[in-house]
Amino acid sequence: MAVTKMPLTAHRMKSQGFSHGFSLLEVLVAFVVLAVLGTALFKLFGGAMNNAASADAWSRAVAVAQNQLAQASVMQPLQATSANGKDGDVQWSLIVEPYTPPALDGETTQPAESPIYRMFHLQVDVRFPGVANKDRTFSLETLKIGQIDQGKP
């Protein structure tokens, strides 16, 4: 006995559980999932780019401040002065002034100064643009021993 195969029609395929392709609902769900993942990735990478730009601005501002402190500390003879300037978008202000240590608890007199050397307080204030045009500021300070200019009385 010979068995003949009958061709599968669309109606017979559906009734037997065969299906080809995706339904419209499945395609829409896939697009929604991809859109949500894409949005999350854009936010993640956008935040990382903002952080990198902020770190770069801070690094540049710190480098400018350290440079100003280094230039002031090699000034010979070290003397009281002030200066300000701008390096790109970084504004800085330098103050060099004689330093007198505060009296310790119970002391009524200050330590005697050396006729040759003196302590100086160096401070650099820096201002640079931050996020949403809000300026950021910070200060660097140090103490430096400088030789007193013997030519001045």
Side-chain angles (χ1 to χ4, degrees):
M1 171 171 176
V3 178
T4 59
K5 289 188 173 184
M6 295 179 60
L8 293 176
T9 62
H11 177 67
R12 261 186 84 205
M13 286 190 334
K14 228 176 190 180
S15 66
Q16 293 179 358
F18 294 112
S19 81
H20 295 288
F22 297 102
S23 70
L24 180 60
L25 182 60
E26 292 170 328
V27 171
L28 289 176
V29 168
F31 277 132
V32 167
V33 168
L34 286 175
V36 168
L37 288 174
T39 302
L41 287 175
F42 276 133
K43 285 184 179 180
L44 176 72
F45 289 124
M49 293 299 286
N50 286 341
N51 288 343
S54 179
D56 183 53
W58 275 100
S59 295
R60 177 155 170 63
V62 168
V64 168
Q66 288 175 333
N67 184 41
Q68 292 306 317
L69 278 179
Q71 286 181 5
S73 67
V74 297
M75 183 172 44
Q76 292 298 327
L78 197 55
Q79 58 190 6
T81 187
S82 65
N84 55 32
K86 191 171 182 178
D87 188 349
D89 57 353
V90 178
Q91 297 174 342
W92 56 268
S93 174
L94 169 73
I95 299 171
V96 178
E97 56 192 5
Y99 176 76
T100 304
L104 298 175
D105 290 339
E107 287 186 355
T108 56
T109 60
Q110 291 289 335
E113 278 193 20
S114 164
I116 301 173
Y117 296 102
R118 176 153 201 182
M119 291 285 283
F120 287 90
H121 176 248
L122 289 74
Q123 179 177 341
V124 176
D125 298 317
V126 176
R127 177 181 302 271
F128 61 101
V131 178
N133 294 329
K134 185 176 179 182
D135 284 349
R136 297 180 181 251
T137 59
F138 71 93
S139 296
L140 293 183
E141 306 179 42
T142 190
L143 295 176
K144 176 83 174 164
I145 296 176
Q147 194 168 9
I148 296 175
D149 188 6
Q150 298 298 322
K152 292 185 181 178

